[in-house]
Amino acid sequence: MMEISLTLIDTWCKENKYVIAGYYQANERIKETRPNQFAEKVAARIAENFSEAALIMVDNSKISMSCYDPAISVFEHHDNKWKCRDASIDCCEDWSEAQKIMSALLEDRSYDSLIDFDNHLDDLRNDWTNPEINKSILHLC
Amino acid sequence: MASVSDMYDVTWEEMRDKLRKWRDENYRNSEQIVEVGEELIQEHASKLGDDVWIIYEQVMIAALDCSRDDLATTCLHELQKQFQGSHRVKRLAGMRLEALERYDEAFKMYNDILQDDSTNTAARKRKIAILKAQGKSTEAIRELNEYLEHYAKAAFSLEELMMTNPHNHLYCEQYAEVKYTQGGIENLELSRKYFAQALKLNNRNMRALFGLYMSASHIGASPKASAKVKKDNVKYAAWAASQINRAYQLAGHGTKETKCSLKAVEEMLESMQIMPS
């Protein structure tokens, strides 16, 4: 189904002038923050179509309502390997803004209405582009 | 803080029935269970009769999911008082230790249960869960094999599941996906057949429909396939494509957003060489 989802999302992106620019993953085990083979394969596939693709690993142990430190690490493709970008370099344009928006969404329990591609396959009416949540984010900016 | 019964204007009976529905349908909506369940046991425990014990169990597990050790401990104490020495309650105590990451103590608790009763499946499952959580995959697999030897025999392998549950379209679809991942023309043909079977059992299974489309497309494009096999699979893929289009149309009802994804689906299908008829 990964093949289908990537192709369908890619087609949608072209229609709407977007590009798949990266892949993020949060591992099952909180203590495991490195990308596994699956993440590297998916990200490599994406990098074929977009050379500056980013592989982002989420560190769930750092996510809280008021996390001052970024909860993500960014990996970049160099010489066929995924290397972690230096943590001292800013990973985001504005982490504190992002963190404020994230807390607001967490408090509102937006995750209850978040749709991923699996949800879409369960019922085609579930919209994986999440228009409502994206509207909320724009309002919070 | 407003009570659930005030906010949603529900009676305690409705709250109790909601919990039962969630139990019966195996929902893991832990936040909701904690919200409703905590109020129910705090305000209405005496009215619940014998149901109270299974509700304590349900709320306890949900509380562990939500890091509410206070609530989990309350529920556990009530259960321990009522059912002294029970293995079922001991397993819950073990789960609490797991939630607190006290894995060695939890592991010992489950081993105690198994010493008393080597057929206790729940305890075996928890041991495997602990090993998984600790990242000890080799040991987890070893325990899993022991588990299979004792109870399921081959029943957990997909083939066995399919034989004993011929009407379950999900097992069919999962088997088809495994075959698809294994690749090679024989596995692709098998995968196409099982996707088709899953569809026969449930004609609304989108994963089976997409799977049929993908497997048939790949076979149709394969240099290793004979001319006839290619021709047949191109037909199957075209049929699947038209069904996919139809499903998206039905789901869309003409709203603006879904018009977009309908177009995306059509384009995707076109770009994969097989033209929808």
Side-chain angles (χ1 to χ4, degrees):
Chain A
M1 292 304 129
M2 177 62 69
E3 224 176 317
I4 290 276
S5 58
L6 279 178
T7 314
L8 192 53
I9 295 169
D10 196 45
T11 315
W12 180 90
C13 282
K14 292 201 174 77
E15 281 286 306
N16 294 276
K17 312 260 195 319
Y18 283 102
V19 68
I20 301 182
Y23 172 78
Y24 75 88
Q25 180 167 301
N27 285 331
E28 234 183 342
R29 293 180 55 228
I30 290 196
K31 296 198 173 120
E32 189 54 67
T33 51
R34 287 165 317 157
N36 57 10
Q37 240 190 6
F38 183 79
E40 292 191 348
K41 279 214 170 96
V42 174
R45 184 79 178 77
I46 293 173
E48 279 173 31
N49 286 351
F50 184 73
S51 57
E52 290 171 59
L55 165 55
I56 296 177
M57 294 304 293
V58 181
D59 186 347
N60 271 311
S61 69
K62 289 203 180 129
I63 294 200
S64 63
M65 287 305 242
S66 57
C67 44
Y68 297 115
D69 289 328
I72 57 177
S73 5
V74 182
F75 290 77
E76 287 161 335
H77 212 203
H78 292 303
D79 309 317
N80 265 326
K81 290 219 184 91
W82 289 95
K83 302 213 174 101
C84 190
R85 204 195 286 177
D86 192 344
S88 61
I89 303 175
D90 280 331
C91 63
C92 302
E93 230 174 69
D94 188 344
W95 175 257
S96 65
E97 173 78 4
Q99 181 270 320
K100 276 199 210 109
I101 297 175
M102 186 183 74
S103 308
L105 292 174
L106 274 174
E107 221 175 295
D108 278 343
R109 294 216 204 159
S110 314
Y111 49 82
D112 275 340
S113 49
L114 186 62
I115 302 288
D116 66 15
F117 206 80
D118 256 334
N119 301 131
H120 174 69
L121 289 174
D122 287 335
D123 183 338
L124 292 185
R125 291 165 299 182
N126 289 334
D127 192 344
W128 53 266
T129 63
N130 293 291
E132 289 308 315
I133 297 187
N134 280 317
K135 264 191 226 141
S136 315
I137 294 178
L138 285 174
H139 277 150
L140 289 164
C141 279
Chain B
M1 173 135 163
S3 70
V4 170
S5 41
D6 284 337
M7 277 202 290
Y8 301 106
D9 192 24
V10 287
T11 60
W12 71 265
E13 291 101 327
E14 285 165 312
M15 289 163 72
R16 174 202 60 195
D17 292 344
K18 253 297 142 94
L19 283 178
R20 181 186 305 135
K21 176 171 186 273
W22 292 333
R23 269 199 313 276
D24 288 343
E25 304 191 4
N26 251 312
Y27 285 172
R28 193 98 180 228
N29 50 336
S30 301
E31 277 182 335
Q32 283 180 300
I33 293 175
V34 161
E35 232 185 339
V36 174
E38 182 169 27
E39 188 172 309
L40 201 60
I41 56 188
Q42 273 172 357
E43 315 282 323
H44 308 285
S46 52
K47 305 189 193 88
L48 296 169
D50 274 337
D51 272 355
V52 75
W53 310 114
I54 201 159
I55 290 175
Y56 274 130
E57 184 184 45
Q58 181 184 16
V59 174
M60 187 200 161
I61 294 177
L64 290 178
D65 277 349
C66 299
S67 282
R68 286 287 311 275
D69 190 51
D70 57 321
L71 179 57
T73 312
T74 309
C75 296
L76 183 60
H77 281 165
E78 293 300 318
L79 289 166
Q80 281 169 331
K81 269 196 296 192
Q82 180 70 8
F83 302 102
Q84 291 176 18
S86 147
H87 281 160
R88 185 162 164 176
V89 177
K90 198 161 183 162
R91 164 194 161 241
L92 291 173
M95 284 175 78
R96 178 179 165 266
L97 290 170
E98 287 184 60
L100 296 168
E101 292 185 273
R102 287 154 62 176
Y103 293 125
D104 292 334
E105 292 172 64
F107 210 77
K108 181 170 180 309
M109 205 150 240
Y110 299 133
N111 276 332
D112 285 347
I113 297 177
L114 285 166
Q115 228 172 20
D116 240 13
D117 171 15
S118 65
T119 69
N120 192 303
T121 347
R124 280 201 194 270
K125 262 175 93 171
R126 292 317 316 163
K127 280 175 66 175
I128 296 168
I130 290 179
L131 292 167
K132 247 190 111 189
Q134 293 176 309
K136 296 182 178 167
S137 337
T138 330
E139 286 97 325
I141 293 173
R142 203 187 311 137
E143 279 291 332
L144 192 53
N145 279 326
E146 250 196 66
Y147 180 43
L148 292 174
E149 252 172 78
H150 275 112
Y151 311 109
K153 310 218 165 79
F156 282 98
S157 79
L158 277 167
E159 284 114 345
E160 192 73 25
L161 279 174
M162 283 197 298
M163 275 210 299
T164 50
N165 299 274
H167 300 295
N168 188 314
H169 65 104
L170 294 174
Y171 293 147
C172 244
E173 176 222 303
Q174 274 188 309
Y175 187 72
E177 291 201 36
V178 170
K179 287 293 150 192
Y180 182 88
T181 322
Q182 287 176 319
I185 202 148
E186 275 153 28
N187 284 326
L188 278 178
E189 290 227 61
L190 269 174
S191 111
R192 190 210 65 233
K193 288 187 182 141
Y194 279 98
F195 278 129
Q197 179 64 11
L199 269 176
K200 248 201 239 162
L201 295 169
N202 176 357
N203 61 8
R204 292 205 262 162
N205 185 329
M206 278 315 291
R207 288 180 181 82
L209 195 47
F210 272 120
L212 176 59
Y213 175 76
M214 296 296 286
S215 50
S217 300
H218 279 302
I219 300 171
S222 167
K224 296 204 182 129
S226 71
K228 174 162 195 317
V229 166
K230 272 201 183 143
K231 191 160 170 246
D232 286 343
N233 279 280
V234 165
K235 261 199 300 190
Y236 301 143
W239 178 86
S242 66
Q243 293 299 303
I244 293 172
N245 268 316
R246 190 167 154 270
Y248 270 92
Q249 266 162 8
L250 284 173
H253 304 299
T255 65
K256 177 170 174 274
E257 275 113 9
T258 32
K259 274 214 180 86
C260 263
S261 49
L262 183 58
K263 193 143 185 266
V265 169
E266 281 172 5
E267 279 217 23
M268 176 193 85
L269 296 172
E270 269 180 42
S271 75
M272 284 175 156
Q273 293 173 11
I274 310 291
M275 299 288 286
S277 49

